[in-house]
Amino acid sequence: MSMKIPKSLRISPAWAPYVLLSPFVTLFFIFGLFPLGFSLYLAFHSWEPASGLASMSFVGLRNFEFALRDPWFWKSMGNTTWLALAAGVPQHLIAIPLAVFIQAGFKRFRNIVVGVYFMPYITSTVAIAILFSSLFSTDYGLINQALHGLSHIPVLRFLVPVGPIDWLGRPQYVKPAIAVIVFWRYVGFNVVLYLAALQTIPKDLYEAATMDGASSLQQFWNITLPSIRPMMYFAVTLSVIGGLQLFDEAFILTGGHGGPDQAGLTTALYLYREAFDFDDFGGASAMSWVLFAFVALLTWLTNIAFRPRNRSA
């Protein structure tokens, strides 16, 4: 027995798409477009949140002038760029050959190996930061213990420090510690991306290259890399955007203050402090739009770097 919907509740076929899309559109406007537009509006205003919306006053470009002259902002931009390069570039240099190795060497257990590498990506950032805080411990951390062991090898004696390193207490070691965590967390994600791209390459190409006498290195250089170039563009773009918005790892490892001499102060972390520690929401909004322009510029440069070349020219 079928249940009939009253005629008054029936939706006209012409309106059905709009009704079905309305929940998403409504949520997108509330949680997507409205915060975006409000932050742009705030960037031109001075506002004390505790005093209500009535305390908002128009200041023109003053917040942008403050952002561009703020030495802490530029230091955070430098830290963020350093971390994006130090953590992002090795991810791809290792993820590509690692994906090729997994593709060729793990036929039966490939999914298990990929799952192991992907595990850090789905693990809580807080849990990862706590784990690495223990590993980076000055007195009992495993990393210092490993370095101490390596210092007894004659060849490495001049490269590895003998004494324990205060990773999170000395400015020169804070950024490398954060970069290691970011690299460890996202290299598996990039391996999955490149593995998906490798499975789209026809095996006939490799068979023909083998019959022509091409070595494995030549096949990797002339077949594999050009074939996964679109995925490289996608993965590098994600790394650029994610690296310049780095927040969680730096916030937890440095206690939310950027660490000694602000060495771990990323731009996203400084925006947070500007808004919630210094109560300058207008300045934080202006800095966020400057950061957005920087991200857009690097994304555009990435697009140019990976743009298909005209071989006939």
Side-chain angles (χ1 to χ4, degrees):
M1 179 178 177
S2 60
M3 181 177 173
K4 290 186 177 181
I5 301 176
K7 191 173 181 179
S8 59
L9 297 179
R10 293 179 186 176
I11 303 173
S12 167
W15 284 97
Y18 302 103
V19 173
L20 295 175
L21 284 174
S22 60
F24 166 75
V25 173
T26 303
L27 293 175
F28 177 70
F29 269 93
I30 294 175
F31 298 106
L33 284 183
F34 173 73
L36 198 65
F38 189 63
S39 71
L40 182 61
Y41 182 76
L42 264 181
F44 297 94
H45 289 77
S46 174
W47 183 39
E48 290 287 341
S51 303
L53 292 174
S55 65
M56 197 175 291
S57 60
F58 182 75
V59 295
L61 296 174
R62 197 177 304 166
N63 287 328
F64 289 94
E65 293 177 4
F66 168 74
L68 296 176
R69 293 177 179 177
D70 184 6
W72 276 34
F73 174 71
W74 289 111
K75 182 163 189 174
S76 71
M77 289 286 284
N79 291 339
T80 304
T81 305
W82 192 100
L83 288 169
L85 290 173
V89 173
Q91 285 179 33
H92 301 278
L93 294 180
I94 291 179
I96 292 175
L98 184 58
V100 173
F101 173 71
I102 293 174
Q103 172 81 357
F106 293 90
K107 302 289 185 183
R108 187 176 178 182
F109 302 102
R110 184 171 58 197
N111 291 337
I112 298 175
V113 175
V114 173
V116 171
Y117 277 103
F118 196 70
M119 192 73 72
Y121 181 71
I122 59 176
T123 304
S124 166
T125 306
V126 177
I128 291 174
I130 293 174
L131 170 66
F132 274 89
S133 296
S134 301
L135 293 176
F136 283 125
S137 173
T138 304
D139 298 323
Y140 307 105
L142 291 180
I143 294 177
N144 276 335
Q145 295 295 329
L147 291 176
H148 180 69
L150 291 175
S151 67
H152 290 88
I153 300 176
V155 180
L156 301 176
R157 182 173 299 169
F158 300 101
L159 300 176
V160 180
V162 178
I165 297 176
D166 188 3
W167 292 98
L168 303 180
R170 302 283 297 275
Q172 64 268 35
Y173 298 123
V174 172
K175 282 198 286 289
I178 297 174
V180 166
I181 298 175
V182 176
F183 164 80
W184 178 79
R185 188 179 185 198
Y186 290 100
V187 68
F189 174 76
N190 288 298
V191 167
V192 173
L193 293 181
Y194 290 126
L195 267 174
L198 289 174
Q199 294 177 22
T200 64
I201 303 175
K203 294 182 180 178
D204 299 347
L205 294 176
Y206 292 105
E207 292 174 358
T210 303
M211 293 178 66
D212 290 340
S215 65
S216 299
L217 183 61
Q218 289 173 322
Q219 293 180 26
F220 174 77
W221 192 258
N222 295 301
I223 297 176
T224 304
L225 283 183
S227 299
I228 65 172
R229 187 184 179 92
M231 184 59 79
M232 290 170 63
Y233 167 57
F234 176 69
V236 170
T237 301
L238 288 182
S239 294
V240 169
I241 296 174
L244 294 178
Q245 295 178 340
L246 189 64
F247 178 81
D248 297 357
E249 292 83 359
F251 181 88
I252 297 172
L253 275 186
T254 64
H257 298 287
D261 195 27
Q262 308 300 329
L265 184 69
T266 63
T267 306
L269 178 55
Y270 184 47
L271 299 183
Y272 171 84
R273 295 202 62 191
E274 185 72 14
F276 295 100
D277 287 353
F278 309 138
D279 290 332
D280 186 2
F281 281 75
S285 298
M287 292 175 187
S288 70
W289 282 96
V290 175
L291 176 63
F292 168 78
F294 187 56
V295 172
L297 173 64
L298 290 186
T299 304
W300 177 66
L301 293 176
T302 304
N303 181 41
I304 292 177
F306 284 91
R307 181 182 299 170
R309 303 290 189 269
N310 186 4
R311 294 177 179 270
S312 61

